[in-house]
Amino acid sequence: MTPAARATDRSALPLPIGLLMALIAGCGMPLQGRVNGALGDEIGSGVGAAVVSFGVGLALLSVAILALPVGRRGLRAMPGHVRAGNFPWWYMLAGGFGAFFVVSQGLVVTFLGLALFTVANVAGQIGSGLVVDRIGFGPGGPRPVSTERFVGALLALAGVLWVVWPTLAERGVGFAVVGPMLMPFVAGLLMGFQQAMNGVQTRHYGNPLPATFFNFLVGTVALILTYLIMLPFAGPAGALPGVWWMYLGGPLGILFIGAGAVLVRFLGVLVTSLGLIAGQLLGSLAIDAIAPVPGSTVSASTVLGTLVALAAVVIASAPGRGLRFR
């Protein structure tokens, strides 16, 4: 794609609207975590809850992709896109990265706590966002590491660190903590590439439905295999509850993945990631204020850290000259 065409492609979605979409989609992630956590407690299996969440999302997407003409066209066009080299076939396996993120939650978030898990995951997302944009792995082509984008990335990380600093100070930072943090860090790195791969597919399909469907299909298969592998050690999950809202994790995941697949084309992976991260902090702040769990409080550091993350999104999205790295 020529630079002129790429510039037109990027300007097709106004920046304020794109940032608002990222914030709204990000706000759904803490709610998804609360829903999936409640489901996991109810059935006694975090991985089992993830299977149910992905399964519900896959069922909804299967109906949509078969019922809607754009979905059926996307399925029929997929082999042609692969044969034409528009994207490699393994781009459709991006859902495995999402499954790895969910599995990492189930394996280490209980030991690390949500605060340390979030810091490691956000650091990975910011790092992959800078790299993916710089090498042009996403649908918008290469985006230089400008001063504004670099400062915005550092500010976003600082905002998250500010929010979780009380937990960091209490736990300390030793090898017993840093070692398990590698898993959510790698999951964050993979999330940047997942968004880029979904964005490339969405650009060629013309809508995010096929790419989101393949994400949930691959993620569901990967999670079922993980559940079966862990079954001899963890035992089977309990009976499914009759509470309807415990099954909203799948629809919220559709919102998150679909929005990311669309936005990376216009905002780039870094700014999209920062917008989603800021949305997650806003969503967490709102949930703790409206429906707090026992022991959770809304502190001044939480509010200030969230404001810093929002400022980081504004700074990173501003146009600027590229930095030169050797």
Side-chain angles (χ1 to χ4, degrees):
M1 185 167 55
T2 63
R6 187 177 295 126
T8 301
D9 191 34
R10 290 176 182 174
S11 63
L13 181 70
L15 179 62
I17 295 178
L19 293 178
L20 180 62
M21 290 173 61
L23 289 174
I24 293 174
C27 284
M29 290 306 291
L31 183 58
Q32 184 194 42
R34 180 72 66 87
V35 168
N36 286 344
L39 178 60
D41 290 340
E42 185 71 21
I43 65 176
S45 172
V47 177
V51 171
V52 174
S53 177
F54 266 67
V56 170
L58 177 61
L60 293 175
L61 287 167
S62 298
V63 173
I65 206 164
L66 293 176
L68 299 177
V70 292
R72 296 194 298 271
R73 283 198 300 268
L75 284 181
R76 290 195 298 267
M78 182 270 293
H81 287 307
V82 174
R83 286 195 299 267
N86 293 332
F87 54 82
W89 65 267
W90 48 268
Y91 271 35
M92 293 182 294
L93 302 181
F97 296 158
F100 181 79
F101 169 75
V102 174
V103 170
S104 69
Q105 282 182 315
L107 292 179
V108 302
V109 76
T110 303
F111 171 74
L112 288 176
L114 187 58
L116 295 181
F117 182 93
T118 301
V119 168
N121 186 253
V122 166
Q125 290 185 57
I126 292 174
S128 64
L130 287 169
V131 172
V132 169
D133 278 349
R134 182 65 185 88
I135 65 178
F137 191 77
R143 296 170 186 257
V145 183
S146 64
T147 304
E148 291 80 2
R149 293 164 69 83
F150 189 72
V151 171
L154 293 180
L155 267 182
L157 184 58
V160 176
L161 283 171
W162 197 338
V163 170
V164 303
W165 181 253
T167 304
L168 283 172
E170 180 182 348
R171 291 287 302 274
V173 184
F175 180 77
V177 173
V178 174
M181 288 177 71
L182 290 176
M183 192 170 188
F185 176 74
V186 172
L189 289 175
L190 295 177
M191 286 175 70
F193 287 92
Q194 179 190 19
Q195 290 175 352
M197 292 158 70
N198 289 337
V200 171
Q201 294 180 70
T202 296
R203 181 177 177 275
H204 290 288
Y205 288 131
N207 69 91
L209 187 56
T212 308
F213 168 77
F214 285 117
N215 267 251
F216 272 81
L217 176 62
V218 173
T220 301
V221 172
L223 286 169
I224 290 175
L225 292 175
T226 303
Y227 177 79
L228 293 175
I229 291 172
M230 296 179 63
L231 188 59
F233 309 99
L240 294 176
V243 184
W244 65 270
W245 58 264
M246 289 190 180
Y247 301 95
L248 293 178
L252 290 170
I254 293 174
L255 172 66
F256 185 83
I257 295 175
V262 172
L263 293 175
V264 292
R265 175 181 173 186
F266 305 102
L267 305 181
V269 176
L270 176 63
V271 176
T272 298
S273 297
L274 295 182
L276 294 172
I277 290 167
Q280 291 176 51
L281 293 177
L282 280 174
S284 299
L285 188 64
I287 291 173
D288 285 342
I290 298 172
V293 297
S296 65
T297 57
V298 178
S299 63
S301 63
T302 303
V303 176
L304 291 175
T306 303
L307 293 177
V308 169
L310 289 172
V313 177
V314 175
I315 293 173
S317 60
R321 298 180 61 182
L323 292 173
R324 294 184 179 180
F325 292 98
R326 297 198 178 197

